[in-house]
Amino acid sequence: ANGDTKMSLRVWSPTAGIPVRLKVEASNDPTISVETEATVTLAEQWQTLTFDFANQATGTEAINFSRSYNKASVFFNFGTTGAASGEQTYYWDDMAFGEIVQEEQVISFPAISDKTLGEPPFDLNATSTSGLAISYSSDNDNVSISAGVATLVNPGKTTITARQSGNLAFFPATPVSQSFCINPSRPVISVSGQGTDEVTLTSSSGTGNQWYLDGEAISGATGASIAISTFGTYTVQVTIDECVSEISEETTLIVNSLRAQQIRELSVFPNPVETFLHLRGLTGPIGYSEIVDMAGRSTTIFFSELDNGYQADVSRLSPGIYLLRLQQGNKNYSLKIIKK
């Protein structure tokens, strides 16, 4: 229209500060043209530029409303050669007449609770005040994201960012990020060399392990496997990027004729215990039994035989962690208990 000198264009550039030139001309006569420029201010984000042909580029003709301009061309980083700028990719969209007045938009992205590897995929529930669709990205390969659904892939810390690039009506929103832990799966212990003097425990996790004996961390025992030199109750826990697994099930080893064996049948319950401790998995009389606290002090404990096991009164014990030691025949047993 006569007197209307402005056009708007949405652009995406890998770098900020570059000029974008817009040229309009007569499609049947390239000598009839007018050119103007606007500058990109945002890198790697969509933004809307306004071009005013009343401020024509230096060395080009002024707009003449008696002429017809029916062809438009866009030139990114105008005036810089490809050799100087290197290979770059630019995008443009939504060319329109006039100056577009855009509104701000704000993203709401709820916090993501910590997860455990193996849990099912979950929805990412970010929204924008514009009502426009949200896009997501992750800072690593611990999750994969498709159609707003995140799937857990690897354990460790992860940050997911929600973005909305805007359109002619809305400015791009400020991205919002949420960080969370993908805790490792609960490790599983396998035992090799049972019945020999060379027993090895192996964690199902190849990295991040910490081994425990009777509830105490074993100094330097952080490999996938550990060679056993002391009988007792072993566990392992996995930590990746400060994301911690549930501790493994207990594996209890005994010494039988100087050879280590895994206890599969012996159990104590309830554990933690408050009054009466029950023992199952043994038959016949118990040779001796004692409770050892974490300071190494030993107290004799007496089990009475029941129809389906044994029972001991531990109500007088102070709250804490104890090692229950038992002997039956030529077998010695060591079990961790917790007194409430």
Side-chain angles (χ1 to χ4, degrees):
N2 192 26
D4 189 356
T5 62
K6 295 181 178 180
M7 293 182 67
S8 296
L9 183 68
R10 292 184 69 224
V11 301
W12 187 98
S13 168
T15 56
I18 67 164
V20 179
R21 179 165 291 201
L22 180 59
K23 175 182 179 181
V24 293
E25 59 188 309
S27 60
N28 60 351
D29 187 351
T31 64
I32 299 175
S33 65
V34 59
E35 302 176 26
T36 191
E37 290 184 1
T39 301
V40 172
T41 59
L42 299 175
E44 297 184 345
Q45 296 184 48
W46 284 95
Q47 72 174 116
T48 299
L49 299 181
T50 299
F51 297 84
D52 189 353
F53 288 98
N55 302 317
Q56 71 269 20
T58 301
T60 65
E61 294 185 8
I63 192 167
N64 184 341
F65 289 104
S66 66
R67 294 175 171 176
S68 175
Y69 304 98
N70 59 0
K71 178 182 177 181
S73 302
V74 181
F75 305 91
F76 283 91
N77 207 5
F78 187 84
T80 301
T81 66
S85 64
E87 184 175 343
Q88 302 286 347
T89 300
Y90 305 94
Y91 302 94
W92 66 269
D93 199 359
D94 297 331
M95 183 180 290
F97 290 103
E99 182 176 4
I100 301 298
V101 178
Q102 292 175 292
E103 298 180 28
E104 299 286 347
Q105 60 170 326
V106 178
I107 290 175
S108 296
F109 191 10
I112 302 173
S113 61
D114 289 348
K115 309 292 183 182
T116 297
L117 190 66
E119 290 183 9
F122 60 96
D123 293 329
L124 300 171
N125 296 316
T127 59
S128 172
T129 54
S130 67
L132 298 174
I134 301 292
S135 63
Y136 301 93
S137 62
S138 171
D139 66 338
N140 55 35
D141 61 357
N142 291 343
V143 298
S144 63
I145 302 173
S146 177
V149 176
T151 300
L152 307 179
V153 178
N154 298 304
K157 284 187 174 180
T158 297
T159 298
I160 294 178
T161 301
R163 293 183 172 85
Q164 215 305 309
S165 60
N167 59 13
L168 286 176
F170 291 93
F171 288 109
T174 300
V176 178
S177 298
Q178 296 291 355
S179 298
F180 63 102
C181 259
I182 303 175
N183 294 320
S185 302
R186 187 183 192 187
V188 176
I189 297 175
S190 59
V191 184
S192 61
Q194 297 180 62
T196 74
D197 55 3
E198 296 182 358
V199 174
T200 299
L201 303 182
T202 301
S203 169
S204 56
S205 175
T207 59
N209 295 285
Q210 173 60 61
W211 291 91
Y212 295 81
L213 172 60
D214 297 328
E216 296 294 325
I218 304 172
S219 178
T222 57
S225 298
I226 179 172
I228 300 305
S229 58
T230 303
F231 73 90
T233 298
Y234 288 83
T235 53
V236 67
Q237 191 171 42
V238 179
T239 302
I240 305 292
D241 298 337
E242 300 178 1
C243 302
V244 184
S245 76
E246 183 181 356
I247 201 159
S248 70
E249 290 188 358
E250 295 179 343
T251 295
T252 301
L253 300 175
I254 65 171
V255 172
N256 179 12
S257 302
L258 302 180
R259 292 186 175 183
Q261 295 180 341
Q262 182 181 8
I263 298 177
R264 298 187 183 275
E265 74 284 357
L266 193 61
S267 63
V268 291
F269 62 93
N271 196 8
V273 61
E274 187 169 5
T275 305
F276 289 100
L277 182 68
H278 294 265
L279 174 66
R280 285 183 182 173
L282 295 180
T283 57
I286 296 175
Y288 79 87
S289 56
E290 64 179 358
I291 288 281
V292 182
D293 66 16
M294 291 297 98
R297 293 172 298 213
S298 174
T299 302
T300 301
I301 184 173
F302 297 97
F303 280 91
S304 56
E305 189 169 359
L306 305 176
D307 290 340
N308 57 352
Y310 300 84
Q311 174 182 282
D313 185 353
V314 296
S315 59
R316 294 184 179 182
L317 291 178
S318 300
I321 298 175
Y322 294 85
L323 187 65
L324 171 62
R325 289 177 174 170
L326 305 168
Q327 184 269 330
Q328 187 181 56
N330 66 348
K331 292 185 178 181
N332 294 288
Y333 302 88
S334 180
L335 298 169
K336 182 185 73 175
I337 66 169
I338 299 173
K339 174 63 169 63
K340 290 198 281 186

